C-alpha cells in the first residue's frame, strides 16, 4: 500500500472546500478535509507546496508515523493551517486503511460504542416568534437538541442569526463566510446582549418545556466576569452547554466562570492540538471538547485528546458547521461512534450543491447520525461536479463596538 499520488481539490458549491485526494499504487483512494473557513488558499499552498511532495512513495498504512513525520518534521508546529493540512493526510490515510480492510473507519477505531450520534442544529431568529418557528422547524426535521441564537435589540446583525428576508438575503444558513473582496462588518454590545439573552432562554424554556436540550454560543466575546455573569443568569434554563464564552487563547479565563456557575461549558472549535486543552482538562474547567477533526490535525490526535478528556469525565462536542466538509463530518462521526465519552455532535446540513459534489453514506434518523457501513469514511468527491464550482474569495465577518473599536467576532 504505497502512496502513488496526492492532489488537492478546491471547490465552491455554495462555499469553499479544500479536499486532499490520496491514491495508492494499487488504486485505493482516500479523501481528507483541509478547509479553513476564509483562509482556504493558505492550506492549499501548504499542502501543494510542502506536503504533497513528501507523500509519494510512503507506506499508506503507517498513519501514526506519517502524522509524527508531518508534525515534528515541519519544526514549525501547530497553528490552524499546518494542522488542517496534516488532518487532511490523516483522514485520507484512515479512509484508505478502511477501504483496504473492507471496514468502516469506526470499526478500526474499536467499533461502535452506541447506536447513533445525538446531534444538535442551529435555531435562530430576530425576535421570539422567529426563534420559536426556527426551533419548531428543527424539531420537525428530527433534531432532539437545539442551539438557540438571538438577535439583540439595537444591533444590526450579529453572529448566528439566519437572515431569511429578501432584503437581507440568506446568509448564515449555509455560508457564514461572505463572498466578496472584503469582510462584512457586524456590530456588538455586550451589555445589551447580557440583558437580553436570559429573557430569550426563559421564553424558549417556557414554550418548549424542560426536556429539550438547549445550547448557546457566545462566540468568544465576553470577559471572564461577563462570562460568569451570563453562565449564572442562564442557570435556571438548564442549558446543555454554553459555548466559547471567552476568547480561546486564555484557559485561565474560564476559572471565574466555573467558580460562579454550574452551567456546562464547551470550548475549542479554533483549537489545534491537545496542548490547547491541557490545562482546561486537567483543571476540569470545561465539560465538552469542541475540536473539529479537520482543525485538530485529524482523527489520530483528536482521539488521543478525547481519551485524555475522558479521564476527567469530559465529553466530545465536535465542531460541525457547514465549513466542515462532508469528509470532515464523516471523520467526526466515525470517531464519535467509537469513543466512550461521546457527548453530542453539531450538525448543520450542507446544501444540495455540496451534497452533489460529495457523495455520502451517513444516515440521519430521529435526531441521530450514523456514518454508515461503507469501507473507509464513506464519502467521495465527484471530480466533475466539483469542477463546476471554482474557488471564490470569501471572508468571515468581523465586529465593531459603538465607538468603532474592533471586537472579537
Ligand atoms: C461556530 C461556527 O458552529 C459553531 O459553533 O461558532 O459557525 C463558526 O463561526 C464557523 O465555523 C467559523 O468558520
Ligand atoms: Mg461555535
Amino acid at each position: 500500500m504505497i502512496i502513488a499520488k496526492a492532489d488537492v481539490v478546491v471547490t465552491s458549491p455554495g462555499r469553499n472546500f479544500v479536499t486532499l485526494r490520496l491514491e495508492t499504487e494499487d488504486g485505493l483512494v482516500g479523501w481528507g478535509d483541509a478547509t479553513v473557513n476564509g483562509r482556504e488558499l493558505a492550506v492549499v499552498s501548504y499542502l501543494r507546496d510542502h506536503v504533497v511532495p513528501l507523500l509519494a512513495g510512503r507506506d499508506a498504512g503507517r498513519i501514526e508515523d506519517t502524522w509524527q513525520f508531518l508534525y515534528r518534521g515541519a519544526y514549525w508546529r501547530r497553528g490552524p493551517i499546518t494542522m488542517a493540512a496534516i488532518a487532511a493526510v490523516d483522514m485520507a490515510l484512515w479512509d484508505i486503511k478502511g477501504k483496504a480492510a473492507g471496514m468502516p473507519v469506526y470499526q478500526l477505531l474499536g467499533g461502535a460504542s452506541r447506536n447513533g450520534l445525538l446531534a444538535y442544529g442551529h435555531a435562530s431568529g430576530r425576535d421570539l416568534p422567529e426563534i420559536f418557528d426556527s426551533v419548531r422547524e428543527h424539531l420537525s426535521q428530527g433534531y432532539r437538541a437545539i442551539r438557540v441564537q438571538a438577535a439583540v435589540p439595537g444591533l444590526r446583525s450579529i453572529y448566528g442569526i439566519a437572515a431569511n428576508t429578501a432584503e437581507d438575503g440568506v446568509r448564515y444558513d449555509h455560508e457564514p463566510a461572505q463572498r466578496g473582496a472584503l469582510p462584512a462588518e457586524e456590530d456588538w454590545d455586550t451589555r445589551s446582549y447580557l440583558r437580553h439573552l436570559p429573557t430569550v432562554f426563559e421564553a424558549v424554556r417556557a414554550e418548549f418545556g424542560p426536556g429539550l436540550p438547549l445550547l448557546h454560543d457566545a462566540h468568544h466575546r465576553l470577559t471572564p466576569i461577563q462570562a460568569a455573569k451570563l453562565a449564572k443568569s442562564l442557570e435556571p434554563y438548564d442549558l446543555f452547554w454554553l459555548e466559547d464564552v471567552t476568547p480561546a487563547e486564555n484557559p485561565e479565563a474560564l476559572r471565574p466562570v466555573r467558580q460562579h456557575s454550574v452551567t456546562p461549558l464547551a470550548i475549542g472549535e479554533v483549537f489545534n492540538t491537545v496542548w490547547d486543552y491541557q490545562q482546561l482538562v486537567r483543571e476540569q474547567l470545561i465539560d465538552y471538547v469542541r475540536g473539529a477533526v479537520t482543525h485538530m490535525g485529524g482523527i489520530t490526535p483528536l482521539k488521543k485528546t478525547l481519551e485524555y478528556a475522558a479521564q476527567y469525565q469530559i465529553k466530545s462536542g465536535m465542531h460541525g458547521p457547514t465549513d466542515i466538509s462532508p469528509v470532515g463530518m464523516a471523520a467526526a462521526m466515525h470517531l464519535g461512534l467509537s469513543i466512550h465519552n461521546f457527548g453530542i455532535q453539531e450538525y448543520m446540513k450542507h446544501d444540495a450543491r455540496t451534497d452533489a459534489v460529495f457523495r455520502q453514506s451517513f444516515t440521519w434518523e430521529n435526531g441521530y447520525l450514523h456514518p454508515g457501513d461503507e469501507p473507509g469514511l464513506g464519502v467521495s468527491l465527484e471530480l466533475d461536479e466539483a469542477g463546476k464550482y471554482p474557488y471564490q474569495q470569501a471572508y468571515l465577518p468581523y465586529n465593531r463596538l459603538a465607538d468603532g473599536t474592533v471586537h472579537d467576532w
Side-chain angles (χ1 to χ4, degrees):
M1 249 186 11
I2 299 299
I3 300 173
K5 60 177 179 173
D7 294 296
V8 183
V9 181
V10 183
T11 181
S12 195
R15 59 167 317 123
N16 295 315
F17 294 110
V18 179
T19 313
L20 179 70
R21 179 184 187 279
L22 293 186
E23 189 175 335
T24 64
E25 283 175 357
D26 36 357
L28 291 176
V29 172
W31 299 99
D33 177 25
T35 308
V36 175
N37 202 7
R39 292 291 185 273
E40 297 86 357
L41 297 186
V43 200
V44 174
S45 160
Y46 192 104
L47 280 168
R48 280 194 183 139
D49 299 338
H50 305 293
V51 175
V52 163
L54 303 175
L55 295 176
R58 293 186 68 83
D59 179 349
R62 294 179 65 166
I63 300 178
E64 177 73 27
D65 180 65
T66 301
W67 194 91
Q68 300 295 344
F69 166 67
L70 293 175
Y71 180 75
R72 292 171 200 278
Y75 184 66
W76 307 105
R77 298 178 187 187
R78 307 186 293 169
I81 306 302
T82 299
M83 298 312 285
I86 298 177
V89 178
D90 184 80
M91 273 181 239
L93 292 178
W94 278 107
D95 194 18
I96 288 172
K97 198 179 271 294
K99 286 170 181 163
M103 286 184 194
V105 167
Y106 76 81
Q107 291 290 6
L108 305 180
L109 298 173
S113 284
R114 57 196 49 77
N115 302 325
L117 306 166
L118 178 70
Y120 74 90
H122 289 198
S124 71
R126 287 169 296 187
D127 52 23
L128 288 177
E130 267 191 23
I131 293 169
F132 289 179
D133 281 354
S134 178
V135 172
R136 276 192 203 101
E137 191 196 320
H138 282 81
L139 290 172
S140 73
Q141 290 172 17
Y143 283 103
R144 290 165 180 261
I146 298 183
R147 185 183 92 160
V148 175
Q149 302 296 127
V152 174
L155 297 182
R156 283 177 292 125
S157 55
I158 64 168
Y159 165 77
I161 313 303
N164 288 319
T165 60
E167 318 88 84
D168 295 325
V170 176
R171 182 177 69 75
Y172 184 77
D173 271 352
H174 297 295
E175 181 62 278
Q178 197 159 282
R179 285 149 190 267
L182 294 171
E185 185 180 301
E186 297 187 347
D187 48 1
W188 184 246
D189 179 71
T190 301
R191 281 173 59 78
S192 306
Y193 167 75
L194 292 179
R195 269 198 312 277
H196 182 64
L197 197 70
T199 68
V200 171
F201 274 89
E202 183 183 19
V204 172
R205 238 331 145 223
E207 180 73 12
F208 295 97
L212 181 65
L214 296 175
L215 303 84
H216 180 73
D217 189 346
H219 230 244
H220 325 272
R221 293 172 186 199
L222 309 177
T223 65
I225 206 66
Q226 291 167 342
K229 181 175 177 163
L230 180 66
K232 194 171 169 181
S233 64
L234 292 175
E235 265 175 12
Y237 316 116
D238 190 24
L239 264 61
F240 185 95
W241 79 36
L242 179 58
E243 174 185 347
D244 285 346
V245 273
T246 50
E249 295 92 332
N250 180 17
E252 314 256 330
L254 292 181
R255 238 186 245 135
V257 189
R258 274 300 205 218
Q259 281 159 0
H260 291 283
S261 98
V262 294
T263 295
L265 301 177
I267 201 163
E269 66 184 39
V270 301
F271 287 3
N272 310 127
T273 72
V274 67
W275 303 104
D276 297 323
Y277 284 103
Q278 191 184 37
Q279 185 180 358
L280 292 170
V281 168
R282 197 181 52 224
E283 294 187 23
Q284 304 186 63
L285 297 175
I286 57 170
D287 300 281
Y288 295 94
V289 164
R290 284 283 288 143
V293 177
T294 308
H295 302 131
M296 283 286 291
I299 292 172
T300 303
L302 187 50
K303 181 171 165 60
K304 294 175 190 175
T305 305
L306 290 169
E307 277 164 3
Y308 169 53
Q311 294 175 37
Y312 298 85
Q313 295 171 283
I314 295 169
K315 296 188 180 198
S316 72
M318 286 178 254
H319 194 210
T322 54
D323 43 294
I324 304 296
S325 89
V327 180
M329 285 301 295
M333 290 183 219
H334 286 278
L335 183 55
L337 197 68
S338 64
I339 55 172
H340 178 252
N341 58 329
F342 171 81
I344 199 166
Q345 175 63 51
E346 182 179 21
Y347 173 45
M348 214 180 157
K349 294 179 181 175
H350 288 112
D351 69 6
R353 284 168 299 180
T354 302
D355 289 344
V357 169
F358 295 91
R359 199 192 50 75
Q360 301 162 55
S361 63
F362 76 93
T363 56
W364 164 246
E365 273 165 30
N366 300 321
Y368 291 91
L369 292 164
H370 189 287
D373 282 301
E374 272 191 21
L377 292 173
V379 180
S380 62
L381 184 145
E382 306 292 328
L383 286 169
D384 290 346
E385 200 60 28
K388 293 183 189 166
Y389 305 106
Y391 167 80
Q392 292 193 25
Q393 184 93 35
Y395 285 103
L396 285 163
Y398 75 107
N399 262 334
R400 283 191 193 277
L401 305 178
D403 70 356
T405 306
V406 173
H407 191 67
D408 305 284
W409 186 80

